[in-house]
Amino acid sequence: YRRMSQPAVAFGPAGETQGRLDRPRGVAYREDTREVYVVDERNSRIQIFLLDGEFVYDFGEDELEMPSNILLLDGMLLVTDWGWLGVSLFKYDLHTLRLKKKIGRNTFNPEIGYNLLRQPCLGPNGHVYIPDNNNNRICVFSKQLDRVRNIDCEGMTTPVDIKFSQDLMYVMSCTDNFCIHVCTLSGDKIESVITRGEFRARMQVQFSNYFLRDPNNNFIISDCNDHVIKVFNASGKNLLYKVGLDEMDYPMGMALTRAGELIVVSENILNGVE
């Protein structure tokens, strides 16, 4: 992805029929089958494609309302849903994904309710960590969606994405003071990197909901206001390069294959995956 300014493949034009997308959000990649799982938000489903763009199948129209983000687990698929403010867990059954469990709905209860759950991530301890955007916390679950605990990180507001590196947790906070917080697994804040304040003069990060870490621990950030993917070094202090300068419009969720292929869903008037 470092050398590419234009996508090798683009697929998923706007529409409602199979293979077409309406406001795609999150994306996940399954390495063993080379399948791309795309959250098709306004069509209330998940669509699966091959890397070359060939449509495989879709599911979830009867179980999902407004899906937003996705996480592949061992033989299972976890989907956060803005429509009913909760999480759905699907399990493979003879190559078909079937709903296994749903939690949520208690919207504003600060103890058990969830409000705008964002991008889930599997932690080093085997637990699932999900940013609870409007409740300003991280919700921790088992892989079976049993509630473990909540984490309130110091100074963290409106978290949207989370990643891990060894025993550290990186939490993207989407506010006027956009930044990525570095915390311990218990939520103790260590520092903030890639802050909007210190970089605004150089227009380095305007607005984002998603980020990745590559094998070199560089930060890959989808900047939907600048319509480009920006890559920072491991400290988060230096902008290394930009990806997709000419072809990307309002990039959202991303996935990185082992071969170094960057998959991006683009939420523009055409919609699609690049």
Side-chain angles (χ1 to χ4, degrees), residues 98-111:
R98 301 185 186 279
L99 182 65
K100 180 180 179 182
K101 186 175 183 179
K102 294 179 76 170
I103 61 171
R105 279 293 184 201
N106 298 304
T107 311
F108 296 109
N109 186 318
E111 184 61 28

Side-chain angles (χ1 to χ4, degrees), residues 1-267:
Y1 69 90
R2 299 182 181 184
R3 296 181 295 273
M4 294 183 62
S5 62
Q6 296 183 345
V9 178
F11 56 90
E16 299 178 357
T17 57
Q18 290 181 330
R20 292 179 174 269
L21 303 167
D22 191 352
R23 200 177 185 184
R25 282 279 183 175
V27 64
Y29 178 66
R30 185 174 171 181
E31 197 76 46
D32 60 335
T33 60
R34 293 181 66 83
E35 291 176 333
V36 180
Y37 290 68
V38 183
V39 178
D40 190 3
E41 182 186 287
R42 287 182 177 165
N43 287 324
S44 302
R45 64 189 176 190
I46 307 298
Q47 296 207 61
I48 294 89
F49 301 85
L50 298 180
L51 263 182
D52 62 5
E54 178 184 348
F55 172 79
V56 180
Y57 65 97
D58 61 5
F59 69 95
E61 288 186 89
D62 295 330
E63 297 89 1
L64 302 170
E65 293 185 23
M66 192 182 291
S68 57
N69 296 287
I70 190 171
L71 174 66
L72 291 174
L73 298 170
D74 298 331
M76 294 181 291
L77 186 72
L78 187 150
V79 182
T80 58
D81 195 319
W82 292 359
W84 62 282
L85 303 171
V87 191
S88 296
L89 184 66
F90 294 83
K91 187 174 183 179
Y92 285 97
D93 181 13
L94 297 177
H95 305 290
T96 301
L97 282 158
R98 301 185 186 279
L99 182 65
K100 180 180 179 182
K101 186 175 183 179
K102 294 179 76 170
I103 61 171
R105 279 293 184 201
N106 298 304
T107 311
F108 296 109
N109 186 318
E111 184 61 28
I112 63 172
Y114 312 111
N115 193 357
L116 286 187
L117 294 177
R118 303 300 284 261
Q119 178 60 48
C121 184
L122 186 64
N125 53 10
H127 290 152
V128 176
Y129 291 70
I130 308 180
D132 188 358
N133 185 260
N134 284 5
N135 284 326
N136 302 320
R137 65 186 180 186
I138 306 297
C139 297
V140 186
F141 301 91
S142 70
K143 289 183 180 179
Q144 303 298 325
L145 280 188
D146 297 316
R147 182 168 169 267
V148 177
R149 63 190 174 106
N150 295 328
I151 298 176
D152 297 299
C153 298
E154 177 187 356
M156 180 186 67
T157 57
T158 59
V160 292
D161 200 354
I162 183 170
K163 296 294 182 287
F164 294 90
S165 178
Q166 298 179 345
D167 58 347
L168 294 179
M169 180 169 62
Y170 294 79
V171 182
M172 175 175 280
S173 181
C174 177
T175 63
D176 290 338
N177 295 314
F178 163 84
C179 66
I180 294 177
H181 300 285
V182 185
C183 308
T184 64
L185 295 185
S186 61
D188 297 325
K189 181 179 175 181
I190 298 175
E191 62 175 334
S192 296
V193 298
I194 315 184
T195 62
R196 187 174 184 178
E198 70 178 284
F199 287 142
R200 189 178 179 93
R202 287 181 283 162
M203 305 292 285
Q204 294 217 17
V205 174
Q206 287 298 296
F207 189 81
S208 178
N209 285 301
Y210 299 92
F211 77 103
L212 297 173
R213 305 292 302 278
D214 72 9
N216 295 319
N217 286 324
N218 295 322
F219 291 88
I220 306 173
I221 298 179
S222 61
D223 191 334
C224 51
N225 274 21
D226 275 356
H227 310 289
V228 71
I229 303 298
K230 298 179 179 179
V231 182
F232 293 81
N233 67 349
S235 69
K237 301 302 181 184
N238 296 311
L239 177 64
L240 301 178
Y241 44 85
K242 300 178 182 180
V243 180
L245 296 177
D246 301 322
E247 299 295 328
M248 206 163 291
D249 192 358
Y250 212 74
M252 298 297 288
M254 300 179 293
L256 190 63
T257 73
R258 290 177 186 169
E261 299 155 309
L262 183 64
I263 303 167
V264 184
V265 293
S266 182
E267 188 194 321

